[in-house]
Amino acid sequence: MLNDLFIPADSKILLVVLDGLGGLEKNGKTELETAKTPNLDKLAKESSLGLTTAVDIGITPGSGPAHLALFGYDPLEWEIGRGVLEALGIDYPLKRGDVAARGNFASTKDGIITDRRAGRIPTSENQRLCKKLSDVIDMIEDVKIHIKSVKQHRFVVIFDGDGLSHELSESDPQKEGNPPSVIKALAEDAGKTARIANRFVLQAQEALETEGKANGILMRGFASLPDLVPFDLRYNLKAAAIATYPMYRGLARLVGMNVLETGSTWEDELHTLADNMDKYDFFFLHFKETDAAGEDGDFERKAKLIAEFDLLLPKLLEMAFDVLVITGDHSTPALLAGHSWHPNPFLLHAPGTALTEGRPGFSERFCARGVLGQLYSLEVMPLLLAHAKRFKKYGA
Amino acid sequence: MLNDLFIPADSKILLVVLDGLGGLEKNGKTELETAKTPNLDKLAKESSLGLTTAVDIGITPGSGPAHLALFGYDPLEWEIGRGVLEALGIDYPLKRGDVAARGNFASTKDGIITDRRAGRIPTSENQRLCKKLSDVIDMIEDVKIHIKSVKQHRFVVIFDGDGLSHELSESDPQKEGNPPSVIKALAEDAGKTARIANRFVLQAQEALETEGKANGILMRGFASLPDLVPFDLRYNLKAAAIATYPMYRGLARLVGMNVLETGSTWEDELHTLADNMDKYDFFFLHFKETDAAGEDGDFERKAKLIAEFDLLLPKLLEMAFDVLVITGDHSTPALLAGHSWHPNPFLLHAPGTALTEGRPGFSERFCARGVLGQLYSLEVMPLLLAHAKRFKKYGA
């Protein structure tokens, strides 16, 4: 239905994702309630609030499904493997039919994994090791092997050839004290890929034998590109993404957004936004650090980061987007030290088209009682398009 | 999707159903608002609140669908007839393929029903009559007939043979002043069962001819066992049910819960719970009397029963379940003297994983503005499993 309703407009939309924003209480207050957020609180008064559920009630989403849903792609329909995300995040030009996998450099002793991350070796070391592997492993059977460094212990392998399948089990047993698992075909036509992937693991282990910490590898998240309709075609929006962390750049690229070059700080991201304001209709602006603090179980750091975002807010408001959303992709309560199923605080600021709360305060509890009520993340894009006056009436 | 996400945990879940809990106002206050509930109000402050809709907006559910939904089985997919519920409620070992029907002993005069319940004859009288019928009716054609006493005027007939169907109309016209209806086949393959059921009614009426009050029978709710995945397999939970009223024991047994023996009072039920705490992961604890008071239109009695439950609450809290839900299956406002479509007050207490309301009060109105918002009963089980940390993350 959506497709028939689009009308052109010159409105501009900004979707700000504070990754893992939602939280749980410590001394009766969540991270968001604990943080000093005078600007957010004031903005909330002039905005509509609600809570969004990323995938389904009770379901804790990974970053992939959570962002896909926000971008309007049903995460239950489009499962996207870690390998694809990592490949896209390093700007690797993944083609339909390629199979990508996430690799870890790992420490092993007598065939048993002693550290799944090889002590988080420095990225420079990772780069040296990927070059070493690339020098000795080029083709296996008729399949070209691309080995690309990501960061610390993480790399990506792309299997590039005909008749490949991503339906494979993982070699990473997810626990130390075990040997790596043999990769198994999980579909009838995945035999060839399983054989090649196992051979790759063996050849890599041989090549790394003489290394100290990083003398093994683990593979997981075998995946291929999904066949989804790109963002600009789907919504008739010229869209750009600003994110520092590879996976989120990858996710944005996967749905067809233009991923902009940016620096590593939040201020850098804001500069990039200001510089490109004229060139796009839609911006996805991603801040990773709130999630990382939540994952680390660091309540105070997460609250402090939210307060830092609050200080940047006036600059965002100066840019005067027609529609501004500030939300999370999923909750990451410091108390749980991980993603959670709790719905996301959601703030929609659209002067002249959004109902306003009329009282200051941005928190899980204000959002739960907000005028938007509870939404699914999948409903966010239609809501943004509506407030951006990019939909015509349905029916006479 | 759910099935792939289960992880083991040693958390314990308690689902308390105060049957028909939700109500409507008299002098501006509902039954729940009228009842003195200091313990519930305090608990609400430390819990998440919401409202659940059992089947769909505007739909008044029977106890069967309302409980099935709470247990996570779509009540629109799984229609469960009264006959099956009654049979399970008396511990009758119903097999797949059996057809069970609810029977009433009734008073008739010249073939016209004068009392559909035969003056609610005592259960001992019911037992005598069931034995009398069983003595003269054993087989009809190749179908074995089991006649089992329930309570007062109510009994169950089980048709046990090959090629039977529950797609039958009822003989109970639901109104006095009419003759019993002829039972009709409602599906092509139900002809045999209709013939046998009508013959059963005739033979029973002949056998009861000489009785005083209970000289006729009425049959309704022809039903067979649904083919659903049992609770323990579906959720990876060892589950027990504590309920005094046969139908709810039957419902719990139908989804595969272990139904525990218990006494007839609420205190008895709590003792049974405490005694079995170690043996199960999940308990369904059912209190019937609130619904009965609502059905009787007795506002004060219903409020008093809620206050009595409030007095028992500290004992429940002492048991320190990881996840505790207090809710209704459907609303039964005394003002309507029957089940209603109004959503159910829902309280979720899960220290450390549930957001808290931060203000005291448990009522329909507090729940409507609670942090959980409005849910479907079908979403309750996923929510409980999440708070019990029995789900892993969906996607990377």
Side-chain angles (χ1 to χ4, degrees), chain A residues 25 60 62 64 75 342 365 369, chain B residues 1 353 356-357 369 371 394 396:
Chain A
E25 299 138 50
T60 295
H342 302 87
R365 277 178 275 223
R369 287 148 196 159
Chain B
M1 179 185 64
T353 66
T356 68
E357 296 293 334
R369 286 149 198 158
V371 297
Y394 172 71

Side-chain angles (χ1 to χ4, degrees), chain B residues 250-290:
Chain B
L251 268 165
R253 195 175 286 116
L254 179 142
V255 299
M257 292 188 200
N258 242 306
V259 176
L260 303 180
E261 285 310 308
T262 189
S264 63
T265 70
W266 290 7
E267 285 81 2
D268 292 336
E269 292 190 61
L270 255 60
H271 281 302
T272 305
L273 178 63
D275 290 348
N276 288 276
M277 183 85 191
D278 294 341
K279 299 186 200 129
Y280 298 91
D281 309 310
F282 178 98
F283 290 88
F284 159 55
L285 180 59
H286 182 261
F287 298 114
K288 172 66 181 169
E289 285 73 7
T290 34

